Structure formats: structure tokens, C-alpha cells
Amino acid sequence: MKKSSRDKKKETINTGLAGLASDVIERHGSGVKEHIVAYSGVDYEDGTILKRSLKDVNSYERGDSQTNPNYANLTKSQAGFSAEIKEVSRRRADEVIKGKKPTTVRTDDIPGHVNDPLFDITSAIDNNGNPIPSASVQMKFVGSSPKAAVDKMLTKDYQKYIDNDVPLMVSRDYYDGMKLSLCEKISSLEKQIKKVNEEGKTDIAASKQAQLDNCKKLNKNLIKSKVTNAEAIEARNNPVLSTAKDIANVSHKAGIAQAQTGVAWGGSMSLIRNFIAVCKREKNSKEATLAVVGDTTSAGALSYATAFGGSAIKGGMQNAKSGLCRNISKTNLPAYIAVSTLEIGKTLKSFFSGDIDDVQCLEELGEKGYNLVGSSMFAVLGQAAIPIPVIGALAGSMIGYALSSASYNVLLDSLKSAKLSFENRKRIETQCAEAEKMIKEYRIEFENRINKSLKQKQKMFSQIFSEIAIALQAGDCESYITATNKITKACGGDVLFENLNECDDLMTSEGTIRI
């Protein structure tokens, strides 16, 4: 079954959309890599080895849940390490997705700061390699409830954090409850202090005031984590699943971001094509509208799938042991792998449903693989030639696909030519002649339109130049200004003045004249 021109156009557009996704995949793929590093504990890109990884925490001893009475407490304690690791990986992923260099680290991964007495996480280090207090936090996932967590953090074991005004990061699901509990405590203590002061019990009032100060400091310094208690426990017990969820979340964000761009580009291109089709009476308005809606939806769906799959693939390649694999991740190949998976899937679906035979299936698989390699190469060249983000890659991808498709078909036809029967050769020659005729017709139509447009412009400018010549001969400044303004307006510019008086006013004004 021979592919229709519409199918080929869709493949070309799909490949163009893959080129368009390069920036989104680059940033989100680097975000995915941060979660992979958090799981494995090794950053192969810069050679960093983490002090503790999700995989390490999962291997910590805690006995059996049936025989060890301390099993739940150990799990909760170890989950605190997992929470720190996940918090850092999520923050680093957010940083790199925003186009920034990731700076958030666990203090355990800073030389000389293992088991730092005040801070667990920092996003800034001074020149001496110490975490900067204003950019550092202590993380505490404690207590069986928000109220229990507040009571725990107001004990003497946590006094050093309050005394040093250290920001305390708590689980996302406890944060609001802890704030509410602290507000209630603060209100209650204020009432108690007022009462004991009225009763003259100054020693009790002083004790209550110290408690109140601690509550206010803790309330001020609470920070909401990106991790919940349940997520921390899951990361401790099943780090692979936990990491997979974070990768899927980042990839989903990439898909949503790229889908918006895909809808805009795909819809615009479809709108132009179908508008021309309506003008040529090849389609009616209803058919064109349905086609635009279908193309726009398809472009959005493909863009989502490309960015989702491409980001996940890039993240894995970026933190691979192989240096070659890491270098390849810096290209747009992950996007083309994602698209090729979709395109090849379509071919296999057609084969298994009986729409194409085995020969046609192999031909299409070969063509798509060849085309996508060509597209990835031309995407790089296009971006170099047109150094405008997105535009160069898109143009290069589409040109590369079209050229590689043409060259592949020529090669394929050459391989088949010896087997063609006389009747088939005759039919192909007839089709070629028809194609040549169409090309000539389109060229004539194009040249006629260009010539018509140029003749109209030529006539207009000839008339204006004649008016300018007459005005110069007559010394008529007003007519000269009017004639030259026509050129400015014809070229889409704004005139500076309409007559001689406005010209004089402009020249004598103190303002800046902008040409």
C-alpha cells in the first residue's frame, strides 16, 4: 500500500515537531538525570559520588516487621534520609528545568560537612566550602501527626535549631497542620502569660514567655518540603518505584510544555494549508475546519509523547557509564528515538492488521529509520545555520526529512529497477510525466503571481518617482514631502512629518529624531 501525500506530510511534520522539542527535552531530560543520580548515588557526568543514595538507604538493616518491635521506628528514621535525597533531587531538577545550574546539595556531600550539626541541605556554599546559613535548612520528618511533630520539635533536643534560627523543613502533608497547631499554642500561651502576670506569678510568666518565643521562632522558620511522609516511606521501601514516579512526573511536565508548542505550530501550519485548499475550492469550510482540529490535536499529542519519551531517554543517556552515550545525549537524538518508536509502531500496526504486506512493512521500517537519522543530522546543521532557538532546529529537521526521504526513495527505486516489468516501467514513466507537468504548472502559476506583484510595485514606484522629479524641478517642497511619504507608507513605515511646517517643527524640537 503506497503512502499518500498526506501521510508523508504528517511524517515530515512529526519529524519537524521532534526538532522543535529539543530545548524542552534538553532541560527536562537533565531534570530526569537528577532523579537517576539520586537513586544510584553516582553522577557519571561530573564524576560525583553521593555519600548516600536511595538505593543505599533501601539496603539498611531494620530486621523483620513481625519480630522487631522497633521496625516501624527504624523505617521512619531511615525514611528521613530518603526524604533528604528526594528533596535535593526534586529541587535540582526544578533548577535545571528553569535553565539554571543546579546548586542544591545535601551537606553530607560537601567535604568536611558529613553530619553537619545544623544543616542537612544547602543551595549555596561560601568560598571556604561551608554552607551559607541563609541558604541552608535542617530537615525533620518526625512525629505521628502534625501536633506530635510540633511537640517533638519544641523539646530540648531541638533547641539548638531554634537558638540558631535555623529554617526547619517538614513534610509537605504535615506543614499546614503544624502551622495551625503552633498558632493555637501561641494563642494559648499568650492568654496564660496574661493571666499569670495578673496573678503576680512572674517566674511562671517568664517560663511561659520562653515557650512562647520558641513557638514563634519555630512558626517563623517552618518550611514546606516537596516530599510527603508517604513518599519518604515509599522511597525507603521501594526506591525504584519512587524514582520511576519522579521521572514520569518530570517527563509529564515536559510533555505538557511541548504539547502547547506543538498545538501552536501544528495548528498554524494546518490552518495555512487548509485555508489555501478552501481558496482553491479543494475543500469546503467544514472539511477544512475538521482537518485543522484533527491536525492540531495530532500535533499536540505527538509533541507530548515526543517530549515525554525524549526526556526520559535523555535522562538515562545523560547519566550512562558510557562517555559516548553521554555525548549523544547532548544532541537531539533522544527526541528522534521517541518519534521513531511512534512511527515504527504505526507501521507494525498496519502490518499486523493486514493493511500492508511483509515487503511493504520492511520497506517502511527501513525508510523511517533512514529518514530519522538524516533528520537528526540536519537538525544540528539547521540550528547552526539559523541560530534562533526552535526555528533553526525545526527548519533543519523538516528539510532533512524531506531530502533524506527523497534520497532513500531514489536508492530504493534503483534497487528495484532491474525487477520492474515493461508494464510497470511504462506506468511509472507516465506518472513521472504527469508529475513533471504538475511541477511546470505550479511554477508557471508561481511566476505569474510574482510577476503580477512586481509589476504592481513597479508601476507604483515609477509613479512616485515621477512625482518626486516634478516636485524637484518645480521647487515644490510640499509635493516632494507628500511623494516621499508614499514610499514610506508603501513599505510599512511611519512618516516623521506630513508637510513643511511639521518638518520645521521637528528639526527645531529638542527631542531625538528616530529614523
Coordinates of all heavy atoms in Angstrom, one line a residue, residues 76-77 79-85 87 115-121 137-146 148-162 166-175 178 218 221-229 232:
K76 N 10.8 4.7 59.8 CA 10.6 6.2 59.8 C 11.9 6.9 59.8 O 12.0 7.9 59.1 CB 9.7 6.5 61.1 CG 9.4 8.0 61.3 CD 8.2 8.4 60.5 CE 7.8 9.8 60.9 NZ 6.7 10.3 60.1
S77 N 12.8 6.5 60.7 CA 14.1 7.2 60.8 C 14.9 7.1 59.4 O 15.4 8.1 59.0 CB 14.9 6.6 61.9 OG 16.2 7.1 61.9
A79 N 13.6 6.6 56.5 CA 12.8 7.3 55.5 C 13.2 8.8 55.6 O 13.1 9.5 54.6 CB 11.3 7.2 55.8
G80 N 13.7 9.3 56.7 CA 14.2 10.7 56.8 C 15.4 10.9 55.9 O 15.4 12.0 55.2
F81 N 16.3 9.9 55.8 CA 17.4 10.0 54.8 C 16.8 10.1 53.4 O 17.3 10.9 52.5 CB 18.3 8.8 55.0 CG 19.0 8.8 56.3 CD1 19.1 7.6 57.0 CD2 19.7 9.9 56.8 CE1 19.8 7.6 58.3 CE2 20.4 9.9 58.0 CZ 20.4 8.7 58.7
S82 N 15.9 9.2 53.1 CA 15.3 9.1 51.7 C 14.6 10.5 51.4 O 14.7 10.9 50.3 CB 14.3 8.0 51.6 OG 14.9 6.7 51.9
A83 N 14.0 11.1 52.4 CA 13.3 12.3 52.2 C 14.3 13.4 51.8 O 14.1 14.2 50.9 CB 12.5 12.8 53.4
E84 N 15.5 13.4 52.5 CA 16.5 14.4 52.2 C 17.0 14.2 50.7 O 17.1 15.2 50.0 CB 17.7 14.2 53.1 CG 17.5 14.7 54.5 CD 18.7 14.4 55.4 OE1 19.8 14.3 54.8 OE2 18.6 14.3 56.6
I85 N 17.2 13.0 50.3 CA 17.7 12.7 49.0 C 16.7 13.1 47.9 O 17.1 13.7 46.9 CB 18.1 11.2 48.8 CG1 19.2 10.8 49.8 CG2 18.5 10.9 47.4 CD1 19.4 9.3 50.0
E87 N 14.3 15.3 48.3 CA 14.1 16.8 48.3 C 15.2 17.4 47.4 O 14.9 18.3 46.6 CB 14.2 17.3 49.7 CG 14.1 18.8 49.9 CD 12.6 19.2 49.7 OE1 11.7 18.4 49.9 OE2 12.5 20.4 49.3
N115 N 27.4 14.9 58.5 CA 26.7 15.0 59.8 C 26.9 16.4 60.4 O 27.2 16.6 61.5 CB 27.3 14.0 60.8 CG 27.0 12.6 60.4 OD1 26.0 12.2 59.9 ND2 28.0 11.7 60.7
D116 N 26.7 17.4 59.5 CA 26.7 18.8 59.9 C 25.7 19.0 61.1 O 24.6 18.5 61.1 CB 26.3 19.7 58.7 CG 26.5 21.2 59.0 OD1 25.7 21.8 59.7 OD2 27.5 21.7 58.6
P117 N 26.2 19.7 62.1 CA 25.3 19.8 63.4 C 24.1 20.7 63.2 O 23.1 20.5 64.0 CB 26.3 20.5 64.4 CG 27.3 21.2 63.5 CD 27.5 20.4 62.3
L118 N 24.0 21.5 62.1 CA 22.9 22.4 62.0 C 22.1 22.2 60.7 O 20.9 22.4 60.7 CB 23.3 23.9 62.1 CG 23.8 24.4 63.4 CD1 24.2 25.8 63.3 CD2 22.7 24.2 64.5
F119 N 22.8 21.8 59.6 CA 22.1 21.8 58.3 C 22.2 20.5 57.6 O 23.2 19.8 57.7 CB 22.7 22.9 57.4 CG 22.8 24.3 58.0 CD1 24.0 24.9 58.3 CD2 21.6 24.9 58.3 CE1 24.0 26.2 58.8 CE2 21.6 26.2 58.8 CZ 22.8 26.8 59.1
D120 N 21.1 20.1 56.9 CA 21.0 18.9 56.1 C 21.2 19.2 54.6 O 21.7 18.4 53.9 CB 19.7 18.2 56.4 CG 19.6 17.5 57.7 OD1 20.7 17.1 58.2 OD2 18.5 17.5 58.3
I121 N 20.6 20.4 54.2 CA 20.5 20.7 52.8 C 20.9 22.2 52.6 O 20.5 23.0 53.5 CB 19.1 20.5 52.2 CG1 18.7 19.1 52.3 CG2 19.0 21.0 50.8 CD1 17.2 18.8 52.0
V137 N 19.1 24.6 55.3 CA 17.9 24.1 56.1 C 18.3 22.8 56.8 O 19.1 22.1 56.4 CB 16.6 23.9 55.3 CG1 16.2 25.2 54.6 CG2 16.8 22.8 54.3
Q138 N 17.5 22.6 57.9 CA 17.5 21.3 58.6 C 16.2 20.6 58.3 O 15.2 21.2 58.3 CB 17.7 21.5 60.1 CG 17.5 20.3 60.9 CD 18.6 19.3 60.8 OE1 18.4 18.1 60.9 NE2 19.9 19.8 60.6
M139 N 16.3 19.3 57.9 CA 15.0 18.6 57.6 C 14.6 17.7 58.7 O 15.5 16.9 59.2 CB 15.2 17.9 56.2 CG 14.0 17.1 55.8 SD 14.2 16.2 54.2 CE 13.4 17.3 53.1
K140 N 13.4 17.7 59.1 CA 12.9 16.9 60.2 C 11.5 16.3 59.8 O 10.5 17.0 59.7 CB 12.7 17.7 61.5 CG 14.1 18.1 62.1 CD 14.9 16.9 62.5 CE 16.3 17.4 63.0 NZ 17.2 16.2 63.3
F141 N 11.5 15.0 59.5 CA 10.3 14.2 59.3 C 10.0 13.4 60.6 O 10.4 12.2 60.7 CB 10.5 13.3 58.1 CG 10.2 14.0 56.8 CD1 10.6 15.2 56.5 CD2 9.4 13.3 55.8 CE1 10.4 15.9 55.3 CE2 9.2 13.9 54.6 CZ 9.6 15.2 54.3
V142 N 9.4 14.0 61.6 CA 9.2 13.4 62.9 C 7.8 13.4 63.3 O 7.0 14.2 62.7 CB 10.1 14.0 64.0 CG1 11.5 13.9 63.7 CG2 9.7 15.5 64.1
G143 N 7.4 12.6 64.3 CA 6.0 12.6 64.8 C 5.1 11.8 64.0 O 5.2 11.6 62.8
S144 N 4.0 11.3 64.7 CA 3.0 10.5 64.1 C 1.8 11.4 63.6 O 0.9 10.9 62.9 CB 2.5 9.5 65.1 OG 2.0 10.1 66.3
S145 N 1.9 12.7 63.9 CA 0.9 13.6 63.4 C 1.5 15.0 63.4 O 2.5 15.2 64.1 CB -0.4 13.6 64.3 OG 0.0 14.1 65.6
P146 N 0.8 16.0 62.8 CA 1.4 17.4 62.9 C 1.5 17.9 64.3 O 2.6 18.5 64.6 CB 0.3 18.2 62.1 CG -0.3 17.2 61.1 CD -0.3 15.9 61.9
A148 N 1.9 16.1 67.0 CA 3.0 15.3 67.7 C 4.4 15.8 67.2 O 5.4 15.9 67.9 CB 2.9 13.8 67.4
A149 N 4.5 16.2 65.9 CA 5.7 16.8 65.3 C 6.1 18.1 66.0 O 7.2 18.3 66.3 CB 5.6 16.9 63.8
V150 N 5.1 18.9 66.2 CA 5.3 20.2 66.9 C 5.8 20.0 68.3 O 6.8 20.6 68.7 CB 4.0 21.1 66.9 CG1 4.2 22.3 67.8 CG2 3.7 21.6 65.5
D151 N 5.2 19.1 69.0 CA 5.6 18.8 70.4 C 7.0 18.3 70.4 O 7.8 18.7 71.3 CB 4.6 17.8 71.0 CG 3.2 18.3 71.3 OD1 3.1 19.6 71.3 OD2 2.3 17.5 71.4
K152 N 7.4 17.4 69.5 CA 8.7 16.9 69.4 C 9.7 18.0 69.2 O 10.8 18.0 69.8 CB 8.7 15.8 68.3 CG 10.1 15.1 68.1 CD 10.3 14.0 69.1 CE 11.5 13.2 68.7 NZ 11.8 12.2 69.8
M153 N 9.4 18.9 68.3 CA 10.4 19.9 67.9 C 10.5 21.0 68.9 O 11.4 21.9 68.7 CB 10.0 20.4 66.5 CG 10.1 19.4 65.4 SD 9.5 19.9 63.8 CE 10.8 21.0 63.3
L154 N 9.7 21.0 69.9 CA 9.8 22.0 71.0 C 10.5 21.5 72.2 O 10.6 22.1 73.2 CB 8.4 22.5 71.4 CG 7.7 23.4 70.4 CD1 6.2 23.7 70.8 CD2 8.4 24.8 70.2
T155 N 11.0 20.2 72.1 CA 11.8 19.7 73.2 C 13.2 20.2 73.1 O 13.7 20.8 72.2 CB 11.8 18.1 73.1 OG1 12.4 17.7 71.9 CG2 10.3 17.6 73.1
K156 N 14.0 19.9 74.2 CA 15.3 20.4 74.3 C 16.3 19.8 73.2 O 17.3 20.4 72.9 CB 15.9 20.1 75.7 CG 16.0 18.6 76.0 CD 16.6 18.4 77.4 CE 16.7 16.9 77.7 NZ 17.3 16.7 79.1
D157 N 15.9 18.6 72.7 CA 16.7 18.0 71.6 C 16.8 18.9 70.4 O 17.7 18.8 69.6 CB 16.2 16.6 71.3 CG 16.4 15.6 72.4 OD1 17.2 15.9 73.2 OD2 15.6 14.6 72.4
Y158 N 15.8 19.8 70.2 CA 15.8 20.6 69.0 C 16.0 22.1 69.3 O 15.9 22.9 68.4 CB 14.4 20.5 68.4 CG 14.1 19.1 67.8 CD1 13.7 18.1 68.7 CD2 14.2 18.8 66.5 CE1 13.4 16.8 68.2 CE2 14.0 17.6 66.0 CZ 13.6 16.6 66.8 OH 13.4 15.3 66.3
Q159 N 16.4 22.4 70.6 CA 16.6 23.7 71.0 C 17.7 24.4 70.2 O 17.6 25.6 70.0 CB 16.9 23.8 72.5 CG 16.9 25.2 73.1 CD 15.5 25.9 73.0 OE1 14.5 25.2 73.2 NE2 15.5 27.1 72.6
K160 N 18.7 23.7 69.8 CA 19.9 24.3 69.1 C 19.4 24.9 67.8 O 20.0 25.9 67.3 CB 21.0 23.3 68.9 CG 20.7 22.1 68.0 CD 21.9 21.2 67.9 CE 21.5 20.0 67.0 NZ 22.7 19.1 66.8
Y161 N 18.5 24.3 67.1 CA 18.0 24.8 65.9 C 17.2 26.1 66.1 O 17.3 27.0 65.3 CB 17.1 23.8 65.2 CG 17.8 22.4 65.0 CD1 17.2 21.3 65.5 CD2 18.9 22.3 64.2 CE1 17.8 20.0 65.3 CE2 19.6 21.1 64.0 CZ 19.0 20.0 64.6 OH 19.6 18.8 64.4
I162 N 16.4 26.1 67.2 CA 15.7 27.4 67.5 C 16.6 28.5 67.9 O 16.5 29.6 67.5 CB 14.6 27.1 68.6 CG1 13.6 26.1 68.0 CG2 14.0 28.3 69.0 CD1 12.6 25.6 69.1
V166 N 17.6 28.4 62.8 CA 17.8 27.5 61.6 C 16.4 27.2 61.0 O 15.5 26.8 61.7 CB 18.5 26.2 62.0 CG1 18.5 25.2 60.8 CG2 19.9 26.5 62.5
P167 N 16.2 27.4 59.7 CA 15.0 27.0 59.0 C 14.8 25.5 59.1 O 15.7 24.7 58.9 CB 15.2 27.4 57.5 CG 16.3 28.5 57.6 CD 17.2 28.1 58.7
L168 N 13.6 25.1 59.5 CA 13.3 23.7 59.7 C 12.3 23.2 58.6 O 11.2 23.7 58.5 CB 12.7 23.4 61.1 CG 13.8 23.6 62.2 CD1 13.1 23.8 63.5 CD2 14.7 22.4 62.2
M169 N 12.7 22.3 57.8 CA 11.9 21.8 56.7 C 11.1 20.6 57.2 O 11.7 19.6 57.7 CB 12.7 21.4 55.5 CG 12.0 21.0 54.3 SD 13.0 20.7 52.8 CE 13.4 22.3 52.3
V170 N 9.8 20.6 57.0 CA 8.9 19.5 57.4 C 8.2 18.9 56.2 O 8.1 19.6 55.2 CB 8.0 19.9 58.5 CG1 8.7 20.4 59.7 CG2 7.0 21.1 58.0
S171 N 7.6 17.8 56.4 CA 6.9 17.1 55.3 C 5.8 17.9 54.7 O 5.1 18.7 55.5 CB 6.4 15.7 55.7 OG 5.3 15.9 56.7
R172 N 5.5 17.8 53.5 CA 4.5 18.6 52.8 C 3.1 18.4 53.4 O 2.3 19.4 53.5 CB 4.5 18.3 51.3 CG 3.7 19.3 50.5 CD 3.9 19.2 49.0 NE 3.1 18.1 48.5 CZ 3.6 17.0 47.8 NH1 4.9 16.9 47.7 NH2 2.8 16.1 47.4
D173 N 2.8 17.2 53.8 CA 1.5 16.9 54.3 C 1.3 17.3 55.8 O 0.2 17.4 56.3 CB 1.1 15.4 54.1 CG 2.2 14.5 54.7 OD1 3.4 14.9 54.6 OD2 1.9 13.4 55.2
Y174 N 2.4 17.6 56.5 CA 2.3 18.0 57.9 C 2.4 19.5 58.0 O 1.9 20.0 59.1 CB 3.5 17.4 58.7 CG 3.3 16.0 59.3 CD1 2.2 15.2 58.8 CD2 4.1 15.5 60.3 CE1 2.0 14.0 59.4 CE2 3.9 14.3 60.8 CZ 2.9 13.5 60.3 OH 2.7 12.2 60.9
Y175 N 2.9 20.2 57.1 CA 3.2 21.6 57.2 C 2.0 22.4 57.7 O 2.1 23.2 58.7 CB 3.7 22.2 55.8 CG 4.0 23.7 55.9 CD1 5.2 24.2 56.4 CD2 3.0 24.6 55.3 CE1 5.4 25.5 56.4 CE2 3.3 25.9 55.4 CZ 4.5 26.4 55.9 OH 4.7 27.8 55.9
M178 N 0.9 21.7 61.2 CA 1.9 22.2 62.2 C 1.8 23.7 62.4 O 1.8 24.2 63.5 CB 3.3 21.8 61.7 CG 3.6 20.3 61.8 SD 5.3 19.9 61.3 CE 6.3 20.6 62.6
L218 N 9.8 28.9 65.9 CA 9.6 27.7 65.1 C 8.5 27.9 64.0 O 8.7 27.5 62.9 CB 9.1 26.5 66.0 CG 8.7 25.2 65.4 CD1 10.0 24.6 64.7 CD2 8.2 24.2 66.4
N221 N 10.2 29.8 61.2 CA 11.2 29.1 60.5 C 10.8 27.8 59.8 O 11.6 27.1 59.2 CB 12.4 28.7 61.4 CG 13.2 29.9 61.8 OD1 13.3 30.9 61.0 ND2 13.8 29.9 63.0
L222 N 9.5 27.4 59.9 CA 9.0 26.2 59.3 C 9.0 26.4 57.7 O 8.6 27.4 57.2 CB 7.6 25.9 59.7 CG 7.4 25.1 61.0 CD1 5.9 24.7 61.2 CD2 8.3 23.9 61.1
I223 N 9.5 25.4 57.0 CA 9.5 25.4 55.6 C 8.8 24.1 55.1 O 9.1 23.0 55.6 CB 10.9 25.5 55.0 CG1 11.6 26.8 55.4 CG2 11.0 25.3 53.5 CD1 13.0 26.9 55.0
K224 N 8.0 24.2 54.0 CA 7.3 23.1 53.5 C 8.2 22.3 52.5 O 8.8 22.9 51.5 CB 6.0 23.5 52.7 CG 5.2 22.4 52.2 CD 4.0 22.8 51.4 CE 3.0 23.6 52.1 NZ 1.8 23.9 51.3
S225 N 8.4 21.0 52.7 CA 9.2 20.2 51.8 C 8.4 19.9 50.5 O 7.2 20.1 50.5 CB 9.5 18.9 52.6 OG 10.1 18.0 51.7
K226 N 9.1 19.4 49.6 CA 8.5 18.9 48.3 C 8.1 17.4 48.5 O 7.5 16.9 47.5 CB 9.5 19.1 47.1 CG 9.8 20.5 46.7 CD 10.7 20.6 45.6 CE 11.0 22.0 45.1 NZ 9.8 22.6 44.5
V227 N 8.4 16.9 49.6 CA 8.2 15.4 49.9 C 7.2 15.2 51.0 O 7.2 15.9 52.0 CB 9.5 14.7 50.2 CG1 9.3 13.2 50.4 CG2 10.6 15.0 49.2
T228 N 6.3 14.3 50.8 CA 5.3 13.9 51.9 C 5.9 12.7 52.7 O 6.9 12.1 52.3 CB 4.0 13.5 51.3 OG1 4.1 12.3 50.6 CG2 3.4 14.6 50.4
N229 N 5.3 12.5 53.9 CA 5.7 11.3 54.7 C 5.5 10.0 53.9 O 6.4 9.2 53.9 CB 4.8 11.3 55.9 CG 5.4 12.2 57.0 OD1 6.4 11.9 57.6 ND2 4.6 13.2 57.3
A232 N 8.3 9.6 51.4 CA 9.5 9.3 52.0 C 9.6 7.8 52.4 O 10.6 7.1 52.2 CB 9.7 10.1 53.3

